[in-house]
Amino acid sequence: MERKEVAFRIYRYNPQVDRQPFYDNFKIAVERGITILRALNYIKEHLEPRLTFRAFCQAGICGSCAVRINGVSKLACTTQVWDELTGSGDDPILVEPLNNLPVIRDLVVDIDPVMEKLKQNYSWVRPAIAEGEMGQKEHCVSDGEFEAINAATDCILCGSCYSECSMTEVNPRYISPPVLLKAFRMNNDTRDTLGCERLGQVSGDNGLWDCAHCYKCAEHCVKHIPIVDGIHRLREEMFERHMTRSEGARHAQAFFDDIRSTGRLREATLPLRTLGVVKTLRMVPLAAKMGMKGRTPPFVVKPVPGIDRVRGIYRRLEANRAAKQGGE
Ligand code: SF4
Ligand code: SF4
Ligand code: FES
């Protein structure tokens, strides 16, 4: 069995005694096939008993061992040490707590912010049965119905996507990817009756429409769930349910209309169509400054060459949607 001395650089912080975080270095002999979690266990058992981290199932199921390894959020129990060796294999493997969550100690973060957001956003199914009938009656979901939410039910709430989300990083109040994924999963559960209420909640301030489409959540999901597809589906559902009064929905509608009519954005009127009169008036000083720098967007936008082909795409999408709705 291939064996090698591997260096680890591990984030340490005990808020009760440390003024600030620091990094500890360890070097241990590791065999090929060993996971980061087993290496952490070895360090804790043999070198530093105070090293603190979470783990339970050791099989990629409970989600408790998520940490950042070489800067990327992953499960320690399913990540091979060998896969994390960089350079000539002598560079230390960096192990840090998840981003965007408060550190309790060393590699352990407080996941209460995620749990609070799940609670606030109806992350459960409310079936259409009377209180007294709960548990008395079966609610069958067909294979086809389950297929629509199958991938989303794989979420183990490990927090990796939360840690990688660029919007959560700049705005801790942002609803966050795992909560949006749960909203998608619940809204597409055929037993559920909370669809509109949940959509209204998730699309409020710091919600659904603030997603920046960076795709980092989906790229780093430890279960490879297409989270952003779920986010897009929630947005589509808002239009299908005619919930189009929020700024986010109006912004999306304005983009949709502009591209269909000219192939370009009509930026000069975008704030008015998205934010309404009062908020747009507040932007007048900014518009004046932009005007002085010669950066005012044009009021008249000519269609791009080949606009008919763009409109053809819209016609085809609309025909597909009509056919799909007819077949349902
Ligand atoms: S796509 Fe949206 S939810 Fe996902 S990481 Fe980016 S900002 Fe966050
Ligand atoms: S969506 Fe993926 S990365 Fe995010 S919490 Fe669930 S399993 Fe973890
Ligand atoms: S210990 Fe359960 S997912 Fe890693």
Side-chain angles (χ1 to χ4, degrees):
M1 180 71 76
E2 202 177 343
R3 201 176 163 82
K4 183 175 173 50
E5 287 273 307
V6 176
F8 289 85
R9 185 166 169 75
I10 303 181
Y11 179 101
R12 305 296 309 276
Y13 183 47
N14 178 355
Q16 289 175 349
V17 293
D18 299 324
R19 281 219 188 127
Q20 55 185 24
F22 62 99
Y23 287 84
D24 246 352
N25 295 304
F26 303 94
K27 207 163 200 183
I28 58 172
V30 178
E31 285 175 357
R32 186 186 271 276
I34 293 297
T35 62
I36 297 285
L37 179 58
R38 283 189 62 189
L40 291 175
N41 276 327
Y42 182 92
I43 292 168
K44 185 170 176 73
E45 277 167 29
H46 298 276
L47 304 173
E48 169 52 303
R50 288 167 301 182
L51 178 63
T52 307
F53 50 91
R54 272 199 198 107
F56 187 60
C57 72
Q58 305 194 41
I61 295 168
C62 72
S64 60
C65 67
V67 287
R68 273 183 307 142
I69 302 165
N70 286 337
V72 178
S73 307
K74 294 178 179 178
L75 298 179
C77 71
T78 57
T79 305
Q80 293 285 315
V81 168
W82 239 250
D83 291 344
E84 294 299 327
L85 296 174
T86 52
S88 56
D90 295 333
D91 294 350
I93 296 176
L94 184 63
V95 186
E96 296 168 296
L98 292 180
N99 244 342
N100 302 334
L101 289 164
V103 173
I104 295 176
R105 180 164 168 167
D106 296 344
L107 302 174
V108 175
V109 292
D110 180 3
I111 58 162
D112 278 359
V114 187
M115 294 303 150
E116 266 316 306
K117 288 176 188 179
L118 286 169
K119 269 195 241 164
Q120 282 163 9
N121 287 284
Y122 304 103
S123 304
W124 56 85
V125 164
R126 184 188 289 164
I129 51 171
E131 195 96 329
E133 287 181 338
M134 286 281 186
Q136 306 295 317
K137 206 172 139 198
E138 262 187 327
H139 276 256
C140 295
V141 174
S142 71
D143 288 352
E145 287 168 348
F146 184 70
E147 196 45 42
I149 53 170
N150 189 0
T153 60
D154 285 347
C155 174
I156 54 173
L157 281 179
C158 67
S160 293
C161 56
Y162 195 98
S163 165
E164 294 291 332
C165 174
S166 5
M167 188 48 75
T168 307
E169 189 168 355
V170 294
N171 176 13
R173 289 189 298 168
Y174 173 57
I175 185 165
S176 80
V179 182
L180 287 172
L181 182 71
K182 281 279 179 252
F184 161 79
R185 181 249 175 277
M186 301 305 164
N187 264 34
N188 287 278
D189 189 310
T190 47
R191 300 163 300 175
D192 183 61
T193 58
L194 277 175
C196 277
E197 254 169 293
R198 189 178 295 110
L199 273 181
Q201 181 68 25
V202 302
S203 62
D205 289 347
N206 310 303
L208 175 63
W209 295 101
D210 285 5
C211 165
H213 298 137
C214 67
Y215 277 76
K216 285 175 80 179
C217 54
E219 195 182 321
H220 296 292
C221 172
V222 302
K223 293 290 174 185
H224 312 292
I225 303 170
I227 305 171
V228 187
D229 289 357
I231 294 174
H232 288 156
R233 183 67 204 115
L234 285 173
R235 290 178 171 185
E236 280 169 10
E237 200 185 331
M238 292 205 69
F239 283 95
E240 286 160 11
R241 291 182 187 254
H242 307 290
M243 299 172 73
T244 52
R245 293 181 63 183
S246 65
E247 284 174 9
R250 291 207 303 264
H251 196 64
Q253 185 69 52
F255 270 56
F256 183 88
D257 295 342
D258 284 0
I259 301 301
R260 176 161 51 188
S261 66
T262 63
R264 292 192 172 108
L265 279 183
R266 290 182 290 147
E267 288 182 63
T269 58
L270 197 56
L272 190 60
R273 288 177 289 152
T274 301
L275 306 172
V277 179
V278 177
K279 282 196 179 170
T280 302
L281 284 175
R282 286 194 207 129
M283 295 177 74
V284 168
L286 176 68
K289 265 192 209 163
M290 284 173 69
M292 276 153 57
K293 291 188 177 170
R295 295 181 59 199
T296 312
F299 275 86
V300 179
V301 175
K302 284 190 192 152
V304 293
I307 184 64
D308 282 345
R309 291 215 303 278
V310 176
R311 291 176 188 153
I313 294 171
Y314 276 73
R315 280 195 295 276
R316 195 179 290 184
L317 285 172
E318 277 157 8
N320 282 352
R321 188 184 305 152
K324 204 171 144 208
Q325 280 166 353
E328 276 169 3

